[in-house]
Amino acid sequence: MFDPTPIRVLLVEDSPGEADLVREMLSQTGASHFEIEHRVRLSGALARLRPGAFDVVLLDLNLPDSRGLQTFDRVNAQCPSVPVIVLTNQTDEEMANEAVRRGAQDYLLKQDTEASLLVRAIRYAIERKAADKAMRESEQRYALAIRGANDGIWDWNLIASTIFFSPRWKEMIGAGADQLTSNPEEWFGRVHPADRPALEAAIQAHLDGRTPHLEAEYRLRHTDGSDRWMLVRGLAVRDSNGTAVRMAGSQTDITARKNAEARLLHDAFHDALTGLANRALFLDRLQLALEATKRRDNGQFAVLFLDLDRFKNINDSLGHAVGDALLQLISQRLADFLRPGDTLARLGGDEFAILVNGVDEPSAAVHVAGRIHALFAKPFLVRGNEVFTSASIGIALTTTGYGSAEEILRDADISMYRAKSGGGNGTQIFDRKMHDAAVALLKLEMDLRRSIENGDFIMYYQPIVSLTRGRLVGFEGLVRWRHPERGLVAPQQFIGVAEETGLIVPLGWWVLEESCRQLETWQRRFPFNPPLSISVNVSGKLFRQPDMVDRVVGILEHTHLDPSSLRLEITENILMDHGEAALKKLTELRALGIELQIDDFGTGYSSLSYLQRFHYDTLKIDRSFVAEMANSGDADAIIETIIGLASLLGMNVIAEGVETLQQFRLLRGMRCPQGQGFLFSHPVPPARAEELIRNMPER
Ligand code: C2E
Ligand code: MG
Ligand code: MG
């Protein structure tokens, strides 16, 4: 095939006959087309020679102005990129050989040369030179890369089983450039034993052709004794059968990256304050242990959920710094106590969880818990303070059969709550009943939420009567929940949950508004003198609302009810739990003309002292005292005392839970002014209450 691109030849030859011969030969060929420039002297040739000007130089070494190897050297020096073919005589063959050693592409004996040989020599010279150039460039790049990169280079001759390590490779493990033999064990022998199988597997996979390249991470022992994390990348060179004969690649020190990763990983799974495992890590360990138990690789175990008693008090009274230090000391004490296989975690706040291995019986778990309680017997010395604290511990055992880590932790948590409500410093083991109760509670809460949105509540009213004259004084409003599935639900079943979840606040406002509205309707229909009153139970949570008084005023205005007809029933605990702010609100409410009643009097704490602190209008004697009447002289005496004290303080008294005529007579004998109870009427729906108003003696 004819190649149209001309090959540019610089012919340097002082013999005209030889020059003609060359011209002759190059013109004979049909495949290529040559452009020949002829120079007789070296100086003439050098004047024309520039990179890229010619594809090849045909050079006679003996010229009028230069002789021998120097002729070649000068041409080569001026333009090393152009291939040179030396034209020589038999006698100068030795010299021509030397020129080839110095970089000439070839030499041709003038006498032997024929056209095809010359053309082939020129072609090869050009190709070889181009290949040399490419090779040199790539080698330079490679060398630069090796020098510039932080990588160590290795080149493994798989046949001879020798490895070349670059100086940087050696430096990475602290070895000098002249250290390390070419034995592959210099490398693999330094790989961390735990990482070696994976590295060998990765190498084998690539040698077998299962991976496109080798890539693996491992720790390599530095000469200073430490381990460095390395990333190796490599590629196998294969023979014509596909068998790997050589493998080469790089090794990068990734210790810094690995450390950063480890740090991140550690932080993600540990509690910053105590350094203990956090909830995520604990759940992870729990899950692993649970799976091992199921596979029977592992025995049963217990999860202890530990919550400090009154930790908030310590924080509030001694400050958060002391609280934090205490948590650290407790973590330390717990960690020292546990055995190596156990896991201790801080779940947050003052909550800890412990996975205790080898526990398959409740008694064993309780025993461990007992020893943990004992750890709290000694005080903790925190910044000069001797701090005593205790813990409530809930236990769940894998022998109960668990599917997930969350379940077992949840049950331990539920048990801890049980232990806590027992007064703290105790232990509870989880059982099925607790679980069912917890589930039921959760459902109740969800139902309650929905019902408050839907308004599934109604008010029942229970008459309050004057014991002296038997006349109807007013009503206590008592809420009922119209549960979509369970029908009417009494307040004992849900008021507690409503309080805990804060749902009592919206519910409480509804109760107040509905009761006021109802009473105002009745007052218009039955204009008694004095008018009927309404008693409404008010939760302590409502007293926490900053706008509580304003809202009560708003409800009274909007229902047009006179404040003096409204009685708010509160328990003694409100003042205990809500302090001065509550006291202030009570005073404001009272100033509005609203009457305040103490509900369930006698069941709270420090009853009598609180009576002196704040002036209430009415005491409602708890029905437990009334129930005891006639059975025990003590109850009678207490009731008489309360009535006497109340009249001394100018207070009204209502006896709750009057069920029998006997109780009624006894109370009347004690000059108890008013009563409420099944004897007179159960709490009833509004229509029924209205009938009662109609039929009850009014005076
Ligand atoms: P309480 O305020 O002491 O209400 C009196 C409770 O005693 C009512 O129970 C009433 O049905 C019951 N009772 C009345 N007479 C007798 C009797 O002769 N014998 C017996 N054994 N019981 C009698 P109820 O309606 O189940 O309410 C229970 C508690 O729930 C109330 O006790 C009150 O503390 C709370 N509660 C009821 N309604 C509300 C409300 O709207 N808001 C708030 N915060 N609490 C409410
Ligand atoms: Mg009440
Ligand atoms: Mg009561």
Side-chain angles (χ1 to χ4, degrees), residues 43-63:
S43 54
L46 293 179
R48 300 289 298 141
L49 196 58
R50 273 181 305 282
F54 297 97
D55 296 308
V56 67
V57 178
L58 300 178
L59 183 65
D60 182 357
L61 294 180
N62 293 323
L63 298 170

mmCIF file of all heavy atoms in Angstrom, residues 43-63:
data_model
loop_
_atom_site.group_PDB
_atom_site.id
_atom_site.type_symbol
_atom_site.label_atom_id
_atom_site.label_comp_id
_atom_site.label_asym_id
_atom_site.label_seq_id
_atom_site.Cartn_x
_atom_site.Cartn_y
_atom_site.Cartn_z
ATOM 1 N N SER A 43 28.677 20.802 8.499
ATOM 2 C CA SER A 43 28.188 22.148 8.832
ATOM 3 C C SER A 43 26.901 22.455 8.058
ATOM 4 O O SER A 43 25.932 22.996 8.624
ATOM 5 C CB SER A 43 29.261 23.195 8.516
ATOM 6 O OG SER A 43 29.660 23.032 7.154
ATOM 7 N N GLY A 44 26.879 22.019 6.813
ATOM 8 C CA GLY A 44 25.672 22.236 6.014
ATOM 9 C C GLY A 44 24.502 21.461 6.588
ATOM 10 O O GLY A 44 23.362 21.953 6.651
ATOM 11 N N ALA A 45 24.801 20.230 7.012
ATOM 12 C CA ALA A 45 23.738 19.392 7.597
ATOM 13 C C ALA A 45 23.214 20.009 8.888
ATOM 14 O O ALA A 45 21.990 20.127 9.096
ATOM 15 C CB ALA A 45 24.276 17.991 7.865
ATOM 16 N N LEU A 46 24.141 20.399 9.740
ATOM 17 C CA LEU A 46 23.716 20.949 11.038
ATOM 18 C C LEU A 46 22.901 22.233 10.847
ATOM 19 O O LEU A 46 21.998 22.521 11.635
ATOM 20 C CB LEU A 46 24.930 21.228 11.941
ATOM 21 C CG LEU A 46 25.690 19.973 12.414
ATOM 22 C CD1 LEU A 46 26.884 20.374 13.293
ATOM 23 C CD2 LEU A 46 24.763 19.041 13.207
ATOM 24 N N ALA A 47 23.226 22.973 9.804
ATOM 25 C CA ALA A 47 22.498 24.220 9.550
ATOM 26 C C ALA A 47 21.021 23.937 9.248
ATOM 27 O O ALA A 47 20.149 24.747 9.512
ATOM 28 C CB ALA A 47 23.145 24.965 8.382
ATOM 29 N N ARG A 48 20.767 22.738 8.708
ATOM 30 C CA ARG A 48 19.385 22.402 8.337
ATOM 31 C C ARG A 48 18.640 21.615 9.425
ATOM 32 O O ARG A 48 17.415 21.546 9.423
ATOM 33 C CB ARG A 48 19.391 21.537 7.053
ATOM 34 C CG ARG A 48 20.008 22.202 5.859
ATOM 35 C CD ARG A 48 19.113 23.312 5.331
ATOM 36 N NE ARG A 48 17.844 22.743 4.905
ATOM 37 C CZ ARG A 48 16.674 23.343 5.104
ATOM 38 N NH1 ARG A 48 16.629 24.493 5.740
ATOM 39 N NH2 ARG A 48 15.568 22.772 4.672
ATOM 40 N N LEU A 49 19.433 20.999 10.309
ATOM 41 C CA LEU A 49 18.822 20.028 11.240
ATOM 42 C C LEU A 49 18.142 20.720 12.433
ATOM 43 O O LEU A 49 18.773 21.421 13.206
ATOM 44 C CB LEU A 49 19.928 19.072 11.739
ATOM 45 C CG LEU A 49 19.460 17.779 12.401
ATOM 46 C CD1 LEU A 49 18.593 16.973 11.449
ATOM 47 C CD2 LEU A 49 20.674 16.968 12.831
ATOM 48 N N ARG A 50 16.861 20.514 12.481
ATOM 49 C CA ARG A 50 16.088 21.021 13.633
ATOM 50 C C ARG A 50 15.074 19.946 14.008
ATOM 51 O O ARG A 50 14.689 19.151 13.150
ATOM 52 C CB ARG A 50 15.324 22.296 13.225
ATOM 53 C CG ARG A 50 16.121 23.586 13.369
ATOM 54 C CD ARG A 50 15.251 24.773 12.969
ATOM 55 N NE ARG A 50 14.709 24.606 11.623
ATOM 56 C CZ ARG A 50 15.425 24.821 10.511
ATOM 57 N NH1 ARG A 50 16.687 25.215 10.589
ATOM 58 N NH2 ARG A 50 14.893 24.648 9.335
ATOM 59 N N PRO A 51 14.642 19.928 15.228
ATOM 60 C CA PRO A 51 13.646 18.914 15.602
ATOM 61 C C PRO A 51 12.419 19.036 14.711
ATOM 62 O O PRO A 51 11.922 20.131 14.463
ATOM 63 C CB PRO A 51 13.305 19.278 17.057
ATOM 64 C CG PRO A 51 14.471 20.071 17.547
ATOM 65 C CD PRO A 51 15.033 20.781 16.356
ATOM 66 N N GLY A 52 12.007 17.916 14.189
ATOM 67 C CA GLY A 52 10.786 17.906 13.383
ATOM 68 C C GLY A 52 11.028 18.191 11.903
ATOM 69 O O GLY A 52 10.126 18.030 11.094
ATOM 70 N N ALA A 53 12.243 18.609 11.542
ATOM 71 C CA ALA A 53 12.489 18.965 10.137
ATOM 72 C C ALA A 53 12.661 17.727 9.272
ATOM 73 O O ALA A 53 12.296 17.711 8.099
ATOM 74 C CB ALA A 53 13.710 19.869 10.023
ATOM 75 N N PHE A 54 13.254 16.666 9.847
ATOM 76 C CA PHE A 54 13.489 15.420 9.096
ATOM 77 C C PHE A 54 12.996 14.230 9.884
ATOM 78 O O PHE A 54 12.967 14.237 11.110
ATOM 79 C CB PHE A 54 14.986 15.260 8.795
ATOM 80 C CG PHE A 54 15.516 16.368 7.914
ATOM 81 C CD1 PHE A 54 16.154 17.469 8.455
ATOM 82 C CD2 PHE A 54 15.344 16.303 6.521
ATOM 83 C CE1 PHE A 54 16.620 18.499 7.650
ATOM 84 C CE2 PHE A 54 15.812 17.331 5.717
ATOM 85 C CZ PHE A 54 16.456 18.436 6.281
ATOM 86 N N ASP A 55 12.642 13.170 9.102
ATOM 87 C CA ASP A 55 12.218 11.943 9.770
ATOM 88 C C ASP A 55 13.404 11.046 10.047
ATOM 89 O O ASP A 55 13.351 10.213 10.947
ATOM 90 C CB ASP A 55 11.204 11.207 8.900
ATOM 91 C CG ASP A 55 9.937 12.027 8.720
ATOM 92 O OD1 ASP A 55 9.378 12.475 9.754
ATOM 93 O OD2 ASP A 55 9.529 12.255 7.563
ATOM 94 N N VAL A 56 14.448 11.209 9.244
ATOM 95 C CA VAL A 56 15.608 10.336 9.441
ATOM 96 C C VAL A 56 16.851 11.025 8.848
ATOM 97 O O VAL A 56 16.740 11.839 7.932
ATOM 98 C CB VAL A 56 15.358 8.952 8.798
ATOM 99 C CG1 VAL A 56 15.284 9.052 7.273
ATOM 100 C CG2 VAL A 56 16.434 7.928 9.221
ATOM 101 N N VAL A 57 18.006 10.704 9.431
ATOM 102 C CA VAL A 57 19.278 11.209 8.880
ATOM 103 C C VAL A 57 20.105 10.011 8.413
ATOM 104 O O VAL A 57 20.278 9.051 9.168
ATOM 105 C CB VAL A 57 20.072 11.997 9.938
ATOM 106 C CG1 VAL A 57 21.418 12.463 9.349
ATOM 107 C CG2 VAL A 57 19.267 13.193 10.437
ATOM 108 N N LEU A 58 20.544 10.044 7.164
ATOM 109 C CA LEU A 58 21.497 9.031 6.684
ATOM 110 C C LEU A 58 22.857 9.711 6.721
ATOM 111 O O LEU A 58 23.073 10.730 6.059
ATOM 112 C CB LEU A 58 21.146 8.591 5.265
ATOM 113 C CG LEU A 58 19.754 7.977 5.090
ATOM 114 C CD1 LEU A 58 19.495 7.607 3.615
ATOM 115 C CD2 LEU A 58 19.619 6.721 5.966
ATOM 116 N N LEU A 59 23.742 9.170 7.540
ATOM 117 C CA LEU A 59 24.948 9.926 7.873
ATOM 118 C C LEU A 59 26.221 9.150 7.556
ATOM 119 O O LEU A 59 26.451 8.068 8.092
ATOM 120 C CB LEU A 59 24.902 10.258 9.382
ATOM 121 C CG LEU A 59 26.026 11.104 9.953
ATOM 122 C CD1 LEU A 59 26.003 12.519 9.356
ATOM 123 C CD2 LEU A 59 25.921 11.171 11.468
ATOM 124 N N ASP A 60 27.015 9.737 6.706
ATOM 125 C CA ASP A 60 28.374 9.219 6.485
ATOM 126 C C ASP A 60 29.248 9.846 7.544
ATOM 127 O O ASP A 60 29.208 11.053 7.779
ATOM 128 C CB ASP A 60 28.827 9.625 5.080
ATOM 129 C CG ASP A 60 30.224 9.078 4.771
ATOM 130 O OD1 ASP A 60 30.821 8.442 5.683
ATOM 131 O OD2 ASP A 60 30.686 9.298 3.644
ATOM 132 N N LEU A 61 30.008 9.027 8.286
ATOM 133 C CA LEU A 61 30.761 9.566 9.412
ATOM 134 C C LEU A 61 31.983 10.380 8.973
ATOM 135 O O LEU A 61 32.426 11.251 9.701
ATOM 136 C CB LEU A 61 31.195 8.433 10.351
ATOM 137 C CG LEU A 61 30.048 7.700 11.077
ATOM 138 C CD1 LEU A 61 30.625 6.606 11.973
ATOM 139 C CD2 LEU A 61 29.211 8.665 11.895
ATOM 140 N N ASN A 62 32.504 10.053 7.810
ATOM 141 C CA ASN A 62 33.708 10.754 7.366
ATOM 142 C C ASN A 62 33.371 11.783 6.300
ATOM 143 O O ASN A 62 33.063 11.446 5.162
ATOM 144 C CB ASN A 62 34.734 9.752 6.845
ATOM 145 C CG ASN A 62 35.244 8.869 7.984
ATOM 146 O OD1 ASN A 62 35.415 9.345 9.113
ATOM 147 N ND2 ASN A 62 35.439 7.589 7.704
ATOM 148 N N LEU A 63 33.387 13.018 6.742
ATOM 149 C CA LEU A 63 33.000 14.124 5.882
ATOM 150 C C LEU A 63 34.177 15.092 5.758
ATOM 151 O O LEU A 63 35.103 15.033 6.570
ATOM 152 C CB LEU A 63 31.805 14.848 6.489
ATOM 153 C CG LEU A 63 30.544 13.992 6.638
ATOM 154 C CD1 LEU A 63 29.505 14.721 7.474
ATOM 155 C CD2 LEU A 63 29.987 13.611 5.273
#
